[in-house]
Amino acid sequence: MVTVQYSNDYKDDKNEALHTQYIFRTDVPHGGPAFHAASTGTSAHTPHKWEPGYPAAFGFGKINRFIKRGAGQRNDSKVPRRNDALKHGLNGFGSAGSKSFRALAVFGAGVSGLLSFATIAYSDEAEHGLECPSYPWPHEGILSSYDHASIRRGHQVYQQVCASCHSMSLISYRDLVGVAYTEEETKAMAAEIEVVDGPNDEGEMFTRPGKLSDRFPQPYSNEAAARFANGGAYPPDLSLITKARHNGQNYVFALLTGYRDPPAGVSIREGLHYNPYFPGGAIAMPKMLNDGAVEYEDGTPATEAQMGKDVVSFLSWAAEPEMEERKLMGFKWIFVLSLALLQAAYYRRLRWSIYKSRKLVLDVVN
Amino acid sequence: SDEEVVDPKATMEVTCKPKCVRQLKDYQACTRRIEGDESGSKHCTGQYFDYWQCIDKCVAPKLFEKLK
């Protein structure tokens, strides 16, 4: 932003033309000491006609500027008044404009807030389900990894409690290697299932024991069969469930451990069960996590809450297996980019410094 | 394995009850109000939710300390 710091009138050498020099500075923002110290050469600060280094080299203007800033407003006759009015006029318009815009924005926000309030008040809470609380998951920190022992237990819970109805068709046995089980353990687990493969050389499909490359087995052959077996409700695939539901990890844990008696006045039809966290309150799935339903390999007491925590850890891993690598990468690159930002800022200011401290002299013959 | 295993969430919900007495009383008052209603349109979901939200807020931060 260029701002005239001061002007200087002088007669030229032949004492004929009146020159006016307008000295522009680029290092002062809009609203800097513009024209306050404008003078017609009568002030003691501006160099006189006979002084060396005049007219353009107001290098010692640094001290001048300092003094002029301290000197405060100096309204001189012709030009300063005009420019001041112009500056204040522009300022005035700017501030009035921004003030009214701000007022309009605040009013708009208030109106929309009021409207949204009204709509929430009229809807039924059960429609959205009870808001689930936030649990302190061990893997939720910016540099926290999964609890892999919990993933292992959670897989056991899934396999023994959930897999009879819920598929996880995007997860393969090999994904578990190095995460929850060793390769041998996983191979043995995979070999327990029968997989349809083929066609063979005779053109027939055959069954074989599972391998690491096989996906997790599906309980039903298709969605229609799943619905038929579950009273019309489809048990969703759990591969991505913690990402597919709002606040997924907390929601799934709250849901699994939240089966309670319905409130007074609410009755659930036969075949459905009450769960306050489920939107609408009536869920087809019965309570599946009961104390002691699973016997953990590592001897952990299998309470409802423990099983819930473990299975949600497992489901979180299944939905986001890349999480640990992602967090490491994120930390590393945010650090690197911060350094790069500092370097870029320094370099930009270095290169711009010449333009920001420029002084332009406009020598006008009146 | 230990036969006496008790679900820590259930016990914590009981110990958090004193913190949510106001919501519990509101729910019980609602229950009494709608008693004998035959229309089937009156229910206490709101007070129920308020009570359980209070319990959840009390239980959630400390539950995982009791789990492995």
Side-chain angles (χ1 to χ4, degrees), chain A residues 125 130-131 133-134 136-137 153 257 260-261 263-266 274 277 291 298 300-301 303 305-306 309, chain B residues 5-9 13 27 31 34 42-46 48-49 52-53 56 60-61 63-64 67-68:
Chain A
E125 297 105 334
L130 179 58
E131 193 186 328
S134 295
W137 296 100
R153 289 193 298 269
T257 59
R260 301 184 184 119
D261 290 331
V266 170
Y274 183 75
Y277 302 97
D291 294 337
D298 60 0
T300 311
T303 57
Q306 182 69 53
K309 172 176 179 273
Chain B
V5 68
V6 171
D7 182 32
K9 187 163 190 258
E13 282 173 355
Y27 174 69
T31 312
I34 69 166
K42 296 188 185 172
H43 59 88
C44 297
T45 306
Y48 182 89
F49 274 23
W52 280 110
Q53 203 162 48
D56 279 343
L63 174 62
F64 281 19
L67 303 176
K68 188 159 172 204

Side-chain angles (χ1 to χ4, degrees), chain A residues 18-85:
Chain A
L18 177 69
H19 292 247
T20 304
Q21 275 189 341
Y22 296 94
I23 316 295
F24 293 88
R25 289 174 53 190
T26 58
D27 58 344
V28 181
H30 179 74
F35 255 104
H36 301 309
S39 65
T40 52
T42 54
S43 115
H45 310 305
T46 53
H48 296 276
K49 203 159 69 159
W50 56 87
E51 280 180 8
Y54 144 100
F58 291 100
F60 62 91
K62 244 190 213 158
I63 300 172
N64 268 351
R65 287 197 285 277
F66 204 73
I67 296 168
K68 277 173 174 50
R69 272 210 188 107
Q73 306 252 351
R74 266 188 189 224
N75 283 317
D76 223 324
S77 46
K78 24 182 176 154
V79 179
R81 196 124 311 190
R82 205 168 48 221
N83 261 5
D84 260 348

